[in-house]
Amino acid sequence: MHAHLAAALTAAVVLIPSHAHAATRTWSGGGATNNWSDTGNWSTGVVPGAADVATFNATSAKNATINVNASVAGIAINAGYTGTITQAAGITVTVGASNFVQATGTFSGGNAAITVNGTFTLSGGLFISTTSTLSVSGGFTDSAGAFTHNSGTVQFTGNAATITGGAVETFNHLSFAPTTAGAVKTVASNQTLVVLGTLTLTEGSINQTTVPATGTVAARGNITQASTFDGGTGTVVIDGSGAQTFTGSATATVGALPAVEINKGSGTLALAGTIRTAKNWTYTAGTLDAATSTVVFAGTLAITGSATLANVVVNGVGLTYTLASTTTLTITGTLTLTDGFLNGGTVEAQGDITQASTFDGGTTALLIDGNTTQTFTGSATTTVGALPTVTIAKSAGTLALVGTIRTARSWTYTSGTLDPGTSTVVFAGTLSITGSHTLANVIFNGTNVTYTVASGTTLTATGTLTLTDGSVNTGTVAAQGDITQASTFDGGTGTLLLNGVAAQSFTGSATTGAGSLPNVNVNKPTGTLTLAGTLRTTSSWTYTSGALDPGTSTVVFAGTLAITGSHTLANVILNGANVTYTVASGTTLTVTGTLALTDGSVNSGTVAAQGDITQASTFDGGTGTLLIDGAAAQTFTGSATNTVGALPNIDINKPSGTLTLVGTLRTAKNWTYTAGTLDPGTSTVVFAGTLAITGSHTLANVIFNGANVTYTVASGTTLTVTGTLALTDGSVNTGTVEAQGDITQASTFDGG
């Protein structure tokens, strides 16, 4: 009993120190075998444990076989060791934070895992990797040794580590799979990691050490990208000579790549799944088979090289995607414009297109030229969402528009069948519209911008045309549905043609001082055009044909313009400062409501007032004729003075009803009474120009006050004045002025 106890205590004393203290265990080669597990091969007679560094140096050049699963703090193969260390079949090797260092000799991997939970440094000798997986959590350095991949996999785990080798380091399968999210692996400047097998991008990012020097991973086999991969500042060059597949499991919002360059001398690169990148995407050479894959661009990046992709999503918040000027990116599947700007080059959409309200537009040419059916769907609003420059040039198939599409860039139709459905297109910037075509609902809504409809182009709107802001120049907008005008719309030199075959409403929310229209031409083959609210224009107004129902609307003419074609309006205001309204010869503009003569002058033609009339002191007269011919009671109210305010030629010719005069009316043109009951009340009429007064009738107060002018009272005409007759200036010729009230004569009056 005592002997056994003594032996046990002796064993305890021997074993406890070997596990309690970390040590350097040096390969001495003194054992009967080459096995790692042979205690005789180690300088202290103890096989290295988890806290020990297994060291090989000049102590012994004997070969070593790792014949049991080894877990050590580190392995150091130092100068002087010339033997071979062999990982036996099925045996795993685990190295801790004290790292793997090899300066000489040979390490020959087996078929089981080698895990380095620190750095891997190869400065000399030959390292033949396992056919299984070599995992390295720290830096990987091959400065002067020879690394052989042995058809296995190298997996980089851990964080903040640099990968350095010669100019080129070749791997079979290479995996970036840190256990910590967001981990960074840096490929040294001007270092290329060649991957002959599969490149797996699972987690973390691949960076380069300095800019502009490039750290490159050259993928010559398949590539996979997980949604958890974070991209980086490095570059992945896809340059295999055989068939390769690039498979992504990213989404529209997560997953990133380093810069990608496709440069295949031969073979086909097949894209599969969803690939997402926030870095540059370059196509240099090679056959590309996009199949049904999706590429998501989600960062400020450059797209270079003309190539064909399947589905493309542009989805970076407020970011700019720059296409090289000579690049055409062809998209055979769906183009999804979610967010950001597309600048430069051309995007050729041959499949469906969607625009979100968050997309920001850009200078890129968006060419829609698929030869089959395409759908362009927008979820923009009247105020947000923008497109690049759009050209529709379909050789076959139909382009269907759906939802609300908004653009602040040019819109060109070249060819193809266009089905606008019930869609809405919002034009919201200084842009050009080229090529005659038909849309459904159209809104012009850009603050103080100019929409140039190309000369010879007719843009037809079959739905509602909304004129909110901006001006339409040149060309024609043909409205075949309802039209609305806001007080903020600025008019323009273009033509608004109202030519729908069904009922149309033209509704204005303009005021007497704000709002303008392009040139208007009402030319309806059938159906009735109903006017509502207040419409205001500073451009020409033409009526050609069609039933017109003015309702109780008001039309404000406020610029130097022409009014052509006899038709009837309700309320009319002439209110353009010192402008000329030319009513075409032979045209009669009939006003059934109130005619307000506020400013400007009416030349040529006839304005037939069948309701009340007002004259402001700022109105300038004109050579046209104001025919007062309403069949009901009318009131003609003036706020002129003795010296300011003028009327066009006046012809009072009422078949029935009474015309009542109120306030001060002043004219420098002819005044004709033809028929009708006239009630002058206490009004004053000021004659102030060389003019003719025709037709016997009665006025209240009359002032002749035109400097050195001649008032011709037609022969046989008696002008009866029941109030005060003031002879201030000028001369009265022919006819009779019958004064029934007071008379005053100024020294400047010239007789007659």
Side-chain angles (χ1 to χ4, degrees):
M1 292 291 294
H2 294 290
H4 289 296
L5 178 61
L9 289 173
T10 302
V13 170
V14 171
L15 291 173
I16 290 172
S18 68
H19 293 288
H21 302 286
T24 297
R25 308 297 179 186
T26 301
W27 179 262
S28 64
T33 69
N34 294 83
N35 290 337
W36 177 284
S37 63
D38 188 339
T39 58
N41 284 323
W42 298 100
S43 59
T44 59
V46 177
V47 176
D52 302 326
V53 176
T55 301
F56 297 81
N57 55 27
T59 300
S60 173
K62 181 181 178 181
N63 294 336
T65 299
I66 305 174
N67 65 317
V68 293
N69 293 336
S71 178
V72 294
I75 293 178
I77 307 172
N78 296 331
Y81 182 76
T82 58
T84 298
I85 304 167
T86 302
Q87 177 190 16
I91 299 301
T92 62
V93 177
T94 302
V95 179
S98 294
N99 310 317
F100 179 96
V101 178
Q102 181 179 354
T104 185
T106 300
F107 184 96
S108 180
N111 61 3
I114 300 175
T115 302
V116 180
N117 292 313
T119 61
F120 176 96
T121 302
L122 180 62
S123 60
L126 171 63
F127 181 89
I128 302 171
S129 190
T130 174
T131 60
S132 181
T133 300
L134 166 65
S135 296
V136 180
S137 67
F140 180 97
T141 301
D142 177 8
S143 57
F147 177 87
T148 300
H149 59 70
N150 200 19
S151 299
T153 297
V154 174
Q155 179 174 273
F156 293 125
T157 61
N159 188 23
T162 299
I163 303 165
T164 306
V168 175
E169 191 75 24
T170 301
F171 300 92
N172 181 38
H173 303 308
L174 180 61
S175 172
F176 289 86
T179 55
T180 303
V184 176
K185 291 295 183 182
T186 301
V187 179
S189 175
N190 298 318
Q191 170 78 59
T192 298
L193 309 182
V194 175
V195 185
L196 302 178
T198 298
L199 171 63
T200 304
L201 306 174
T202 303
E203 179 59 87
S205 56
I206 301 173
N207 280 359
Q208 59 187 34
T209 53
T210 58
V211 177
T214 302
T216 300
V217 178
R220 295 177 181 169
N222 296 333
I223 309 104
T224 65
Q225 175 203 13
S227 63
T228 48
F229 198 75
D230 306 308
T233 62
T235 299
V236 173
V237 176
I238 303 173
D239 61 352
S241 59
Q244 294 178 262
T245 300
F246 190 167
T247 303
S249 59
T251 71
T253 56
V254 292
L257 290 168
V260 172
E261 180 182 352
I262 300 167
N263 189 9
K264 290 178 63 62
S266 60
T268 297
L269 174 63
L271 304 182
T274 298
I275 297 163
R276 184 177 184 271
T277 183
K279 298 296 182 180
N280 293 343
W281 177 279
T282 302
Y283 171 82
T284 302
T287 302
L288 189 61
D289 177 8
T292 60
S293 66
T294 298
V295 177
V296 181
F297 296 110
T300 297
L301 55 86
I303 301 170
T304 305
S306 296
T308 298
L309 299 177
N311 304 296
V312 169
V313 179
V314 183
N315 188 28
V317 179
L319 302 176
T320 300
Y321 317 94
T322 303
L323 278 73
S325 60
T326 57
T327 289
T328 296
L329 181 63
T330 302
I331 301 166
T332 59
T334 298
L335 170 64
T336 303
L337 304 174
T338 304
D339 208 334
F341 299 85
L342 278 172
N343 282 349
T346 300
V347 173
E348 182 179 356
Q350 296 183 345
D352 295 339
I353 308 108
T354 66
Q355 175 203 14
S357 62
T358 48
F359 197 75
D360 306 303
T363 63
T364 292
L366 173 56
L367 173 62
I368 304 172
D369 67 346
N371 57 15
T372 59
T373 298
Q374 294 177 261
T375 300
F376 192 165
T377 303
S379 58
T381 71
T382 56
T383 56
V384 291
L387 289 169
T389 301
V390 172
T391 298
I392 300 167
K394 289 179 64 63
S395 58
T398 297
L399 174 64
L401 305 183
V402 177
T404 298
I405 297 163
R406 184 177 183 271
T407 184
R409 298 284 178 179
S410 295
W411 176 279
T412 300
Y413 170 83
T414 302
S415 62
T417 302
L418 186 62
D419 176 9
T422 58
S423 67
T424 298
V425 177
V426 181
F427 296 108
T430 296
L431 54 85
S432 62
I433 300 169
T434 305
S436 296
H437 62 291
T438 298
L439 299 177
N441 304 295
V442 172
I443 300 175
F444 290 99
N445 189 30
T447 305
N448 298 319
V449 301
T450 300
Y451 319 99
T452 301
V453 180
S455 177
T457 288
T458 297
L459 175 65
T460 300
T462 59
T464 298
L465 172 64
T466 304
L467 306 174
T468 304
D469 207 337
S471 56
V472 175
N473 280 355
T474 326
T476 299
V477 177
Q480 296 183 347
D482 294 339
I483 310 104
T484 65
Q485 176 203 13
S487 62
T488 48
F489 198 75
D490 307 308
T493 62
T495 297
L496 172 57
L497 173 63
L498 283 65
N499 67 341
V501 296
Q504 295 178 260
S505 294
F506 193 167
T507 303
S509 58
T511 69
T512 55
S516 187
L517 290 168
N519 298 302
V520 172
N521 184 5
V522 180
N523 188 10
K524 287 180 64 62
T526 58
T528 298
L529 174 64
T530 301
L531 306 184
T534 299
L535 303 170
R536 183 177 184 272
T537 184
T538 57
S539 297
S540 295
W541 177 279
T542 301
Y543 170 83
T544 302
S545 65
L548 184 61
D549 176 6
T552 59
S553 66
T554 297
V555 177
V556 181
F557 296 106
T560 296
L561 54 85
I563 301 170
T564 305
S566 296
H567 61 292
T568 298
L569 299 178
N571 304 294
V572 170
I573 300 174
L574 302 179
N575 188 30
N578 301 315
V579 301
T580 300
Y581 318 100
T582 302
V583 180
S585 177
T587 288
T588 297
L589 175 63
T590 300
V591 182
T592 60
T594 298
L595 171 64
L597 307 173
T598 305
D599 206 338
S601 56
V602 176
N603 280 353
S604 189
T606 300
V607 177
Q610 296 182 349
D612 295 338
I613 310 109
T614 64
Q615 176 203 13
S617 62
T618 48
F619 198 75
D620 306 310
T623 62
T625 297
L626 173 55
L627 173 62
I628 304 172
D629 66 346
Q634 295 177 260
T635 300
F636 194 167
T637 303
S639 57
T641 70
N642 291 351
T643 56
V644 291
L647 290 167
N649 298 298
I650 300 291
D651 184 1
I652 302 168
N653 189 8
K654 288 179 63 61
S656 60
T658 298
L659 175 64
T660 301
L661 306 184
V662 178
T664 299
L665 303 169
R666 183 177 183 272
T667 183
K669 297 296 181 182
N670 295 338
W671 178 279
T672 301
Y673 170 82
T674 302
T677 302
L678 185 61
D679 177 6
T682 59
S683 66
T684 298
V685 177
V686 181
F687 295 108
T690 297
L691 55 82
I693 301 170
T694 304
S696 297
H697 61 292
T698 298
L699 299 177
N701 304 295
V702 171
I703 302 174
F704 289 100
N705 188 28
N708 300 315
V709 301
T710 300
Y711 318 101
T712 301
V713 180
S715 176
T717 289
T718 297
L719 176 62
T720 301
V721 182
T722 59
T724 299
L725 173 62
L727 306 173
T728 304
D729 205 339
S731 57
V732 177
N733 282 352
T734 327
T736 300
V737 177
E738 180 180 347
Q740 295 182 350
D742 296 337
I743 306 108
T744 63
Q745 177 195 11
S747 61
T748 50
F749 194 73
D750 304 313

